[in-house]
């Protein structure tokens, strides 16, 4: 016998279930109608086993989350399985290379800054994460002048980097 969903639940959850399935289907790499059909089936099974849920909206939210988790664990045809999937916490190698190149370019520009700016900006970029007091002591200047001095040096660095990277004209042509 095919389980049935009470008409009251269909009227209550129908629009919400379809909207939720449409919203989550793309992220779950599935079709909205397939996700909605699966949720209707789960509701029918749960209703047959335990009766209608006391809070249908909460049931829908929980069932949708459970189904999305279930879909994440299942291997997709033509795609990597769970063991082969890229770890979302691991950075993209291409992005790492671009970031490293940007850091290298900034550090090279810092070393070309005039006067005290090179030493000051190197101290601010130090991996030791120096405090203002430590930087002032290291450079032999007052702690109160660090902010204005840093601001001037950053302006100089900004102008230097802007001159090295040609800004395109408004119509997309390089100068």
């Amino acid at each position: 016998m095919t389980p049935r969903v009470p008409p009251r639940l269909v009227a209550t959850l129908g629009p919400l279930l379809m909207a939720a399935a449409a919203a989550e289907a793309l992220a779950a790499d599935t079709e909205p109608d397939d996700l909605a059909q699966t949720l209707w089936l789960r509701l029918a099974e749960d209703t047959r086993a335990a009766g209608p849920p006391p809070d249908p909206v909460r049931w829908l939210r929980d069932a949708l989350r459970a189904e999305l988790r279930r879909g994440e664990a299942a291997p997709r045809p033509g795609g990597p399985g769970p063991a082969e999937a890229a770890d979302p916490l691991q950075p993209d190698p291409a992005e790492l290379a671009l970031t490293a190149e940007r850091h290298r370019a900034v550090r090279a520009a810092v070393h070309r800054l005039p006067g005290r700016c090179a030493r000051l900006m190197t101290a601010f970029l130090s991996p030791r994460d120096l405090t203002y007091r430590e930087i002032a002591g290291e450079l032999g200047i007052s702690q109160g002048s660090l902010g204005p001095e840093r601001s001037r040096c950053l302006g100089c660095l900004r102008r230097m980097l802007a001159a090295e990277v040609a800004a395109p004209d408004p119509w997309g042509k390089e100068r």
Side-chain angles (χ1 to χ4, degrees), residues 16-98:
L16 185 59
L17 187 141
M18 294 306 292
E24 297 294 337
L26 182 62
D29 196 26
T30 187
E31 292 294 318
D33 291 338
D34 292 343
L35 185 55
Q37 182 178 10
T38 301
L39 291 171
W40 281 122
L41 181 61
R42 299 261 181 265
L43 180 60
E45 291 169 350
D46 289 357
T47 301
R48 182 172 167 204
D55 185 355
V57 175
R58 177 180 226 154
W59 176 91
L60 174 61
R61 185 189 69 217
D62 294 344
L64 181 61
R65 285 181 183 162
E67 191 56 38
L68 292 174
R69 279 192 305 271
R70 211 175 278 119
E72 287 173 359
R76 290 181 179 83
E84 302 170 38
D87 185 359
L89 300 178
Q90 292 295 326
D92 179 34
E95 191 63 37
L96 284 175
L98 288 173

Side-chain angles (χ1 to χ4, degrees), residues 14 22 40 45 51 64 76 84 100 102 113 124 134 138 143 162 168:
W40 281 122
E45 291 169 350
L64 181 61
R76 290 181 179 83
E84 302 170 38
R102 280 192 294 269
L113 284 170
F124 273 109
E134 292 168 330
E138 214 174 85
Q143 190 174 340

Side-chain angles (χ1 to χ4, degrees), residues 141-162:
I141 60 177
S142 73
Q143 190 174 340
S145 65
L146 273 181
E149 185 79 19
R150 185 191 80 187
S151 183
R152 280 190 294 278
C153 292
L154 283 173
C156 186
L157 180 63
R158 204 174 288 118
R159 286 186 300 277
M160 184 186 296
L161 289 172

